[in-house]
Amino acid sequence: MAGGGESSGAAPFSGRPGEAGAEVRDGGPEDEAERAAAERALSGAGRVYAAVGIGRARHARVDGDAPRRRRGDRNPPRRDQDVPPSAPAPEPPPTGAWDDGLIARRVTEGTPAPEPVAVVETRGPTAQALAAPLAYDGPLRARLDALRELVGLSRTRLDSRTLAEAGRVLDEAAARRRLSGQHTVVAIAGATGSGKSQLFNSLAGVTISETGVRRPTTSAPIACSWSDGAASLLDRLGIPGRLRRRPVQSVEAEAQLRGLVLIDLPDHDSAAVQHREQVDRVLALVDAVVWVVDPEKYADAVLHERYLRPMAGHAEVMFVVLNQTDRLPGEATEQVLDDLRRLLDEDGIALGEYGEPGATVLALSALTGDGVGELRDSLGQFVAERGAPARRIAADLDHAAAGLRPVYATRRRIGLSEQARDEFADRLAEAVGATAAGEAAERAWLRNANRACGTPWLRLWRWYQDRYDSPTGRLPVRNQADEEATARQRVEHAVRTLSERASTGLPAPWAQAVREAAVRGSQGLPEALDELAARAGLPPGRPPRPGWWPAAVLTQAAMTILQIVGGLWLAGQIVDVMAPNLGVPVLLMVLGIIGGPLVEWSCRMAARGPARRYGTDAERRLREAAAGCGRARVLDPVAAELLRYREVREQYARVTGVGAAAGAG
C-alpha cells in the first residue's frame, strides 16, 4: 500500500488525499472503503503483518504487497525483487484510501472493531526495540544520586514544599531515562497570533495544526514524529492518539530530522485557563522548546516574566524564533532581532553565539518560508547530537539546586570550637559548684590536719567556741531552694549560649534543628547534675593522710608530755615532794609550750600542698562529671545536627557540580 507504515504503539493517524495530516472524521464513506480493502487484504493467503487495537483498525499487508521500507532507508527495495511469482496481486486501494503518507485512520464510531490480529514480523526488530533507553553520563548520574541522597537526609529537617521541586526533578529524570534516548521532544510555544502553528506545519511540510484568525486556534497539544518508537514519549506527555501525526514522507526530511518529536502547544497567553495549564504541564516534560515571537509581542511581559526569565538556565535547550519577518520593512528585522537579544540578555539567557553554548536566536517567516530552512537545519543538528534530554535534566537540576541554596549553603564557618566547648563545661561546673566543692575539700583536709597535729589546748579551745559561741554576727546561710534556682538558671544560660554559638551562620532550618536539639538535651539536666554532684563529691570518711602525718602526731604528743612532766615536776617542788630544781622542769615546760605550736605551724605549712591537691582532685572530678553529663545530653545531639548539616552540604556541593571544598565556602 502506498505510504503505509507502522505507528509503533501510538494511536493511528489519519488524513485525506490532498489534505495531508488532516484527521478524517468518523462515519464517512471513505472509512467504509478502507475497511473493505483491509478485509480483502486479510482474507488473502500468505504472511500477514497487521496490528489491530481496541477501537482502532490498522492496515494489513500480504505477501503480494511491497515490503515496508524502514525509516531512513535511502534505497527502497524493488517490488520485483521481493514479491514471489506465486503471490496474488494486491488489490488497488479504493478511491479515497490513505495514499498521502500518513499511518492509518480511526475506526468509525459505532462500528465494532475487528478482533485483534497477532503481529507477525520476521524482518528486523520493532520500532519500539530500536528506541533504546536514555543513558546519562557519569557526572549527571553522580549529581542525580547526590540529589537523591540530599532529599533523603533532609526529609526530617525541611518541609515537603521546599523539597517538592527536587523530588519532581528526580521523578522526571527517572521517567525520562526509561524512555527512548534516540528521540528528542521539542515543543513549539508562543503567544496568540505569533504563527507557531503555521511554523509547525511548515516544518512538517503538511497542514497538521489548524491555523486561522479565530483565537485561540490550537486548543490541545498536537504531536508530529519523524520516526517510529516515540509512542511512550507521547504517552508521557498525555497526548492522545487522535492528535499524533507523521509528516509528509520524504527521505531527505526523515534523514535530517530523524528522531525529532515536535509538539505544537496552545497559546501560553490564551484566555482559556486549561490551555495555559496544558502549556505549563508539557513545558515541564519536553526536552527542548522553540519560543515563537512576533514583531508586536516579542517584548511581552508575560512571556519574559513567567517563562523566559525563570527558564534562563535552560538556554542550551531553547530556540527563540522571531516570526512574521515578512511584515517588517527593510532593516527593521535586524533592529527587532537586536532588541530581542537585548531582552533575552536582561532575562539572564545566554545566547549561543560565537561558539558559546546558549539559546539559538533566529528570524524567519513561516508564511513565505524565508528562514524556515535554517531553523530546520538547526533542529536537525540539535536532534542528531542526542544530548538535549540530558541537558534538559541537567538544567532542571541546576534550577532545583538554586532553589535549595538558601537552605543549604552558607559562607560562614560552622561548628563548635574548643573554646565554646570549654566555656560550656565551665558554666556547668559553675552551676554544679565544682569550684566551691574543691575549696570545701581543701578546707576539710586542712581542718583534719589541724585536728590531728594541733596542740590539745588549742583543739579544746576551738571545741568550746564551736559549742558555746552564739551564731550572732555570722554570715547568713543561703536557702537551699535559692541555690537550686540559681543553679538552674546557670544551666539554662549555658545551654542557650551554646545553642546560639552552634547555630550562628547556619541556614534557618538547620539552625532551628540545632536549637531544638539543645533544648531537648537541657530538659532534666539540672537534676542530673545534682545527682552527679552528690556521687562525685567528697568521698566518705576522712581524707587520706600523708606519710609524715604519724611522725607529726607523735612529735606533738611528745611536746604535750614535756609540758605535763615539767608542770608536775614544778608542782612537786612547790609542795616539797621533790627536791628544788627549777631549771629542768622549766626547760621541759618551755620546750613543750614552744614546740607544740611550732609543730602545729609546721604541719599546717606541710599540709597546704596535699590539701590543695585534694581540693583540686575533688573539683576536677566534679567538673568532669558535669562536662560528661552536658556532653551526653547537649553537646552530642548538637554535634550530630552539625554533622548532618555537613553531610547535606557536601551532597549539595555534589548536586551543584562542584567539589565539597568549594561547596563548603
Side-chain angles (χ1 to χ4, degrees):
M1 300 177 187
E6 186 186 2
S7 63
S8 67
F13 304 94
S14 57
R16 296 179 186 271
E19 270 184 55
E23 180 184 356
V24 177
R25 300 302 176 184
D26 298 337
E30 295 178 355
D31 290 324
E32 298 296 335
E34 292 169 2
R35 189 175 301 105
E39 291 175 356
R40 288 194 298 271
L42 288 174
S43 62
R47 185 169 54 87
V48 178
Y49 174 71
V52 179
I54 303 301
R56 303 167 181 173
R58 301 187 181 184
H59 62 285
R61 178 173 63 85
V62 296
D63 286 341
D65 291 337
R68 182 172 57 90
R69 178 167 58 89
R70 292 195 182 95
R71 300 289 180 182
D73 291 346
R74 296 185 179 272
N75 299 318
R78 296 173 54 187
R79 295 179 59 91
D80 55 356
Q81 295 178 353
D82 193 64
V83 179
S86 60
E91 297 185 13
T95 304
W98 57 91
D99 57 356
D100 50 7
L102 299 182
I103 298 300
R105 296 175 180 272
R106 289 188 299 157
V107 177
T108 305
E109 292 183 6
T111 303
E115 293 297 327
V117 180
V119 177
V120 181
E121 179 61 79
T122 60
R123 301 191 179 192
T126 62
Q128 195 67 21
L130 291 174
L134 178 64
Y136 298 143
D137 58 8
L140 182 56
R141 285 201 309 270
R143 293 181 63 191
L144 290 172
D145 293 340
L147 181 61
R148 189 175 298 104
E149 184 71 17
L150 181 67
V151 172
L153 290 173
S154 306
R155 290 193 184 278
T156 58
R157 299 295 179 269
L158 303 179
D159 57 86
S160 57
R161 289 177 298 178
T162 304
L163 298 174
E165 178 63 16
R168 187 196 68 81
V169 171
L170 289 174
D171 294 340
E172 296 302 334
R176 184 63 182 90
R177 185 176 184 179
R178 291 190 295 267
L179 302 179
S180 172
Q182 307 301 316
H183 292 80
T184 302
V185 183
V186 181
I188 297 183
T192 302
S194 61
K196 55 181 179 56
S197 296
Q198 194 171 37
L199 177 60
F200 179 82
N201 295 335
S202 298
L203 291 173
V206 60
T207 302
I208 295 178
S209 185
E210 181 182 356
T211 61
V213 180
R214 181 178 58 87
R215 305 299 178 200
T217 303
T218 305
S219 59
I222 300 176
C224 181
S225 176
W226 268 257
S227 57
D228 297 334
S232 57
L233 289 169
L234 298 177
D235 291 340
R236 178 171 175 254
L237 297 178
I239 299 179
R242 60 185 176 83
L243 298 178
R244 303 179 186 183
R245 301 290 187 269
R246 290 292 292 272
V248 168
Q249 303 235 0
S250 170
V251 176
E252 181 181 357
E254 289 183 2
Q256 184 182 24
L257 299 178
R258 182 175 179 82
L260 174 63
V261 180
L262 200 61
I263 311 296
D264 184 20
L265 296 179
D267 302 330
H268 67 75
D269 60 349
S270 173
V273 178
Q274 61 271 23
H275 293 181
R276 300 196 300 269
E277 292 177 349
Q278 289 188 66
V279 171
D280 295 341
R281 179 184 61 82
V282 176
L283 284 179
L285 301 177
V286 296
D287 301 327
V289 185
V290 176
W291 291 102
V292 181
V293 298
D294 60 83
E296 294 179 354
K297 301 170 68 175
Y298 71 92
D300 184 31
V302 174
L303 171 65
H304 289 269
E305 294 178 3
R306 184 176 180 182
Y307 293 102
L308 294 181
R309 196 167 299 164
M311 295 183 66
H314 296 71
E316 293 188 31
V317 291
M318 187 183 300
F319 293 79
V320 182
V321 175
L322 176 63
N323 192 18
Q324 302 177 4
T325 56
D326 56 290
R327 299 168 50 191
L328 298 174
E331 297 180 354
T333 298
E334 291 298 329
Q335 296 176 359
V336 174
L337 205 58
D338 290 341
D339 193 44
L340 175 60
R341 291 191 180 98
R342 178 187 62 81
L343 294 175
L344 295 176
D345 184 68
E346 292 178 356
D347 292 334
I349 298 176
L351 302 181
E353 299 175 342
Y354 310 107
E356 296 293 331
T360 301
V361 182
L362 299 173
L364 54 82
S365 173
L367 180 62
T368 63
D370 184 21
V372 176
E374 183 180 358
L375 175 61
R376 184 180 290 107
D377 293 339
S378 299
L379 285 175
Q381 182 180 0
F382 182 77
V383 173
E385 294 174 355
R386 301 287 190 264
R391 288 201 294 269
R392 171 61 196 262
I393 294 299
D396 289 344
L397 201 56
D398 292 338
H399 184 266
L404 293 175
R405 182 175 181 80
V407 297
Y408 290 116
T410 178
R411 293 189 176 275
R412 300 184 60 177
R413 293 184 61 86
I414 54 98
L416 285 174
S417 62
E418 289 298 327
Q419 181 181 359
R421 294 173 179 270
D422 293 341
E423 290 181 1
F424 178 68
D426 292 340
R427 287 189 174 93
L428 291 185
E430 183 182 358
V432 82
T435 302
E439 294 175 353
E442 182 178 357
R443 289 193 301 269
W445 206 97
L446 289 175
R447 185 167 54 251
N448 193 25
N450 291 336
R451 288 176 180 177
C453 302
T455 61
W457 326 117
L458 184 60
R459 283 185 288 173
L460 184 62
W461 172 253
R462 289 173 178 171
W463 174 81
Y464 175 78
Q465 283 185 333
D466 292 340
R467 185 171 183 178
Y468 294 101
D469 281 0
S470 172
T472 304
R474 294 182 180 181
L475 293 176
V477 180
R478 295 187 62 181
N479 190 2
Q480 184 178 1
D482 295 339
E483 293 181 354
E484 292 179 355
T486 303
R488 182 178 294 275
Q489 292 174 359
R490 289 176 177 174
V491 171
E492 293 175 354
H493 176 68
V495 173
R496 184 167 56 252
T497 303
L498 177 75
S499 63
E500 290 176 356
R501 290 190 175 184
S503 60
T504 300
L506 289 176
W510 305 99
Q512 181 65 23
V514 167
R515 288 191 291 267
E516 290 177 355
V519 170
R520 287 194 302 269
S522 65
Q523 297 175 357
L525 182 59
E527 292 78 6
L529 291 175
D530 292 340
E531 183 179 354
L532 285 175
R535 293 202 308 265
L538 296 178
R542 295 182 176 181
R545 299 180 179 183
W548 53 264
W549 197 315
V553 173
L554 291 176
T555 303
Q556 189 66 263
M559 295 299 103
T560 303
I561 291 174
L562 289 178
Q563 295 179 46
I564 294 174
V565 170
L568 292 177
W569 197 334
L570 288 177
Q573 292 180 8
I574 292 173
V575 298
D576 294 333
V577 176
M578 301 181 64
N581 186 3
L582 295 178
V584 176
V586 170
L587 180 61
L588 292 175
M589 290 186 64
V590 169
L591 288 175
I593 293 172
I594 297 176
L598 184 60
V599 171
E600 182 179 0
W601 178 82
S602 301
C603 291
R604 185 179 295 113
M605 293 298 103
R608 285 184 176 181
R612 188 177 297 109
R613 288 193 296 271
Y614 182 72
T616 302
D617 290 343
E619 181 180 357
R620 177 183 55 79
R621 289 194 302 270
L622 198 53
R623 281 181 176 274
E624 290 177 353
C629 184
R631 181 172 56 253
R633 288 177 171 265
V634 179
L635 281 178
D636 288 349
V638 169
E641 291 296 333
L642 293 176
L643 180 60
R644 178 184 290 268
Y645 171 70
R646 290 191 184 94
E647 292 178 357
V648 299
R649 189 178 62 179
E650 292 175 358
Q651 295 296 335
Y652 177 75
R654 296 187 179 95
V655 171
T656 57
V658 299

